[in-house]
Amino acid sequence: MTDPAASVLSADAVCVTYRSRNGAVQALRNVSLAVATGEIVVALGASGCGKSTLLGLYAGFARPTSGRVLIEGAPVTGPGPDRAVVFQDDALMPWLSAQDNVAFGLRLRGMGRPEREAVARDLLREVGLDGFADHAINEMSGGMRQRVGLARALAVDPRFLLMDEPLGALDELTRERMQVLLLQLWQRSGKGIFLITHSIEEALFLATELVLFSPRPGRIVQRYRPTFGRRFLAGEPLRAIKSDPEFLAMRETLAAAILSEEEEGLARG
Amino acid sequence: MDNPSRGAGWASLATLAVIVALWWAVTASGLIAPLFLPGPGAVGLRIVDLARNGFVGASLWQHAGASLARVGLAMLFAVVTAIPVGMAMGLSRRINAALDPLIEFYRPVPPLAYLPLIVIWCGIGEATKVILITLAIFAPLAIATASGVRRVDADRVRAARSLGASRDQVVWLVIFPSALPDILTGLRIALGVGWSTLVAAELVAATRGLGFMVQSASQMLVTDVVIAGILLIAVIALAIELVLRWVERRFAGWSGTR
């Protein structure tokens, strides 16, 4: 299914070991995972299973202890605007308006004010915040802030979007609306998305590739290729997909897998 | 109608009114002699007289202006030195380790305790007073700046870096504005310290200034000038505080709600 012209962001047999007071802790063991443009790779798993560590490697915030992280075949040496990050806690600049937040990355490049404001306004419209350009961040709800964060990441036109539980703090309805928005933006832009979540439903609905992580040491234990997101974009109604027996069956399979991994982890100590 | 903040405002005014009324009662009834406590009317008239005729060789405006100029100059020096130093301390563990002992050593010492040393080195001129106030303002401002820089949300810095920010851009477009509320709070506290230090310093060595005016008046037993001077010192301190609160709301208003 991968387009031959696609760019690839890949982790290649990476291990990450932290030194802590109780000796060495292995956050990631031998993880290989590639994100191609046009794909949504979702990492699912309990907290502390290394998903965020992997995102940090992709983003260039940290280096692997061993193994390689490559973007289009070249090693990742640090953060850069080809891999924009969306955070769970929006990490916006609260002293800037919504529009100036979205334009922040363009300002860093020295783009002139009228140009970047035009780009920012277009993006705010695209994420459904038309008319909120001059609003202060602390006047906005959590869902609106996440939309601003998403627009800010899109403004620098990255090839990859790295999203660390971007919808984790939102209520159920807002969350579903954001999932739909994310799928639509993804379809229009063809970006490669790496998304971390705790929610099985969210993972199934969004992913083109779903990887299940297990903790201590963090590693990938299962890989799936759900098609529900593409079915939704092809016109199937959301409620029909989420009550489809196949969707429900996969949800149960994943829940059971997570539970058994957790129990195994506890047994291992 | 039932506005709680307006109710609070009335409570403050009521306190003020009660105090002035008591003051008037104990003086008008002759309970306390005017030498010890002149009445509100006498002090009010004295303030008008001070504004017109001045006291001990300088007009009221020259006294107040001398005090304000000293604090203003010291604030300027402290802002251009303490904020960069605090930023550097907050950003670099090594710079912090180098400077922290120095600042923590002199910070708890009351400025009036090292005033004599500065007088020996720099004489009793303007320089001494400005240096004293600058030192008094420097430590709290540098410490507030450094702690503000250290408290910056790590994800905010990461977000900027992943959008392509250089190191300088991170410092000036993310860390400095993030720390600004702490810097302004530090400045407000530091200026309070600076103002009280200045007035105390003028009691020791000066030929002009509100502190000097109060000191000379007390030596001549002109009690109404002493009280008028104290009131003016308090009013100016309040005005400085209100201006800085306005600055905080204007430039760091976002921090209160987050």
Side-chain angles (χ1 to χ4, degrees):
Chain A
M1 201 118 172
T2 309
D3 176 357
S7 308
V8 178
L9 175 62
S10 65
D12 207 357
V14 293
C15 298
V16 172
T17 309
Y18 293 118
R19 229 162 279 292
S20 81
R21 250 169 300 166
N22 311 323
V25 175
Q26 203 162 27
L28 283 178
R29 179 190 284 173
N30 203 20
V31 168
S32 295
L33 181 64
V35 183
T37 50
E39 298 286 323
I40 302 186
V41 177
V42 177
L44 180 67
S47 33
C49 68
K51 311 180 297 274
S52 295
T53 309
L54 179 60
L55 186 138
L57 295 181
Y58 280 146
F61 299 144
R63 303 272 176 93
T65 313
S66 69
R68 296 181 310 166
V69 181
L70 304 171
I71 178 161
E72 293 190 275
V76 166
T77 54
D82 49 351
R83 288 154 286 134
V85 182
V86 178
F87 297 86
Q88 173 173 19
D89 170 26
D90 53 67
L92 296 170
M93 315 296 162
W95 56 90
L96 298 177
S97 66
Q99 174 175 280
D100 288 345
N101 264 287
V102 176
F104 189 77
L106 303 173
R107 179 178 171 198
L108 297 174
R109 290 176 188 179
M111 186 189 276
R113 183 170 268 282
E115 278 171 280
R116 64 181 196 244
E117 283 183 350
V119 174
R121 264 194 301 273
D122 284 349
L123 279 166
L124 282 170
R125 193 172 314 125
E126 209 166 328
V127 297
L129 288 179
D130 208 2
F132 286 93
D134 296 323
H135 275 57
I137 296 307
N138 47 29
E139 295 166 2
M140 300 182 126
S141 69
M144 290 161 87
R145 288 184 195 187
Q146 282 307 35
R147 286 166 194 256
V148 175
L150 187 57
R152 171 176 73 173
L154 291 170
V156 295
D157 196 20
R159 269 170 297 174
F160 297 94
L161 273 180
L162 308 174
M163 312 182 83
D164 195 349
E165 288 187 49
L167 314 180
L170 306 181
D171 65 81
E172 205 52 51
L173 275 175
T174 312
R175 191 166 184 158
E176 204 161 71
R177 225 170 285 143
M178 288 291 288
Q179 291 167 359
V180 168
L181 172 70
L182 203 58
L183 279 176
Q184 289 163 343
L185 286 173
W186 168 69
Q187 184 184 36
R188 253 176 282 161
S189 66
K191 301 201 182 300
I193 297 180
F194 177 70
L195 184 139
I196 291 174
T197 183
H198 276 123
S199 156
I200 297 174
E201 258 192 38
E202 181 167 291
L204 277 174
F205 182 56
L206 294 177
T208 60
E209 179 174 8
L210 195 167
V211 290
L212 184 61
F213 273 74
S214 179
R216 276 160 302 191
R219 65 205 187 283
I220 294 173
V221 288
Q222 309 257 18
R223 293 173 191 253
Y224 303 89
R225 287 208 155 263
T227 55
F228 304 107
R230 289 207 161 102
R231 277 165 59 184
F232 172 77
L233 289 174
E236 216 174 305
L238 177 73
R239 295 265 77 84
I241 291 175
K242 289 201 170 173
S243 56
D244 184 325
E246 195 192 338
F247 188 90
L248 298 174
M250 273 190 93
R251 199 178 72 183
E252 290 317 305
T253 311
L254 280 168
I258 292 174
L259 202 63
S260 79
E261 284 301 328
E262 251 169 35
E263 278 164 4
E264 232 175 87
L266 287 176
R268 251 173 301 164
Chain B
M1 269 163 260
D2 193 31
N3 187 334
S5 70
R6 191 194 293 173
W10 281 116
S12 303
L13 280 180
T15 305
L16 200 63
V18 167
I19 287 173
V20 172
L22 275 176
W23 179 13
W24 177 81
V26 296
T27 48
S29 65
L31 205 62
I32 298 178
L35 175 64
F36 296 109
L37 183 66
V43 171
L45 286 176
R46 178 55 96 168
I47 290 177
V48 173
D49 173 58
L50 282 173
R52 284 208 191 120
N53 305 319
F55 190 74
V56 284
S59 74
L60 181 63
W61 315 122
Q62 284 171 324
H63 285 306
S67 295
L68 278 171
R70 286 164 190 150
V71 165
L73 204 59
M75 182 183 89
L76 202 67
F77 285 145
V79 162
V80 299
T81 53
I83 292 177
V85 166
M87 293 275 292
M89 286 172 70
L91 291 170
S92 153
R93 209 170 282 189
R94 199 171 301 167
I95 294 176
N96 186 58
L99 296 182
D100 189 57
L102 198 63
I103 290 179
E104 285 301 334
F105 171 74
Y106 94 82
R107 188 184 61 90
V109 180
L112 290 187
Y114 51 76
L115 174 61
L117 188 61
I118 303 179
V119 170
I120 292 170
W121 289 346
C122 307
I124 58 163
E126 285 306 301
T128 296
K129 285 167 212 91
V130 174
I131 289 170
L132 185 79
I133 309 314
T134 306
L135 284 171
I137 295 178
F138 183 91
L141 188 55
I143 290 170
T145 305
S147 85
V149 167
R150 274 185 225 112
R151 283 192 327 125
V152 174
D153 178 20
D155 275 349
R156 212 177 269 166
V157 172
R158 287 200 186 118
R161 289 178 65 211
S162 94
L163 292 169
S166 67
R167 202 186 141 73
D168 282 359
Q169 284 177 322
V170 167
V171 169
W172 294 113
L173 300 178
V174 181
I175 294 177
F176 179 72
S178 292
L180 193 59
D182 287 339
I183 295 175
L184 290 178
T185 304
L187 187 62
R188 195 152 60 82
I189 293 165
L191 266 186
V193 174
W195 181 246
S196 46
T197 305
L198 165 79
V199 172
E202 287 173 345
L203 295 175
V204 177
T207 56
R208 219 169 249 189
L210 290 173
F212 164 72
M213 188 181 88
V214 170
Q215 172 68 3
S216 336
S218 93
Q219 280 166 353
M220 298 177 225
L221 286 179
V222 195
T223 316
D224 50 2
V225 173
V226 173
I227 292 177
I230 291 171
L231 288 178
L232 282 170
I233 287 167
V235 165
I236 291 175
L238 182 66
I240 293 175
E241 171 83 9
L242 290 178
V243 167
L244 281 171
R245 277 193 202 170
W246 177 82
V247 170
E248 269 186 309
R249 268 201 310 278
R250 171 72 183 74
F251 293 100
W254 55 268
S255 74
T257 45
R258 255 192 86 122

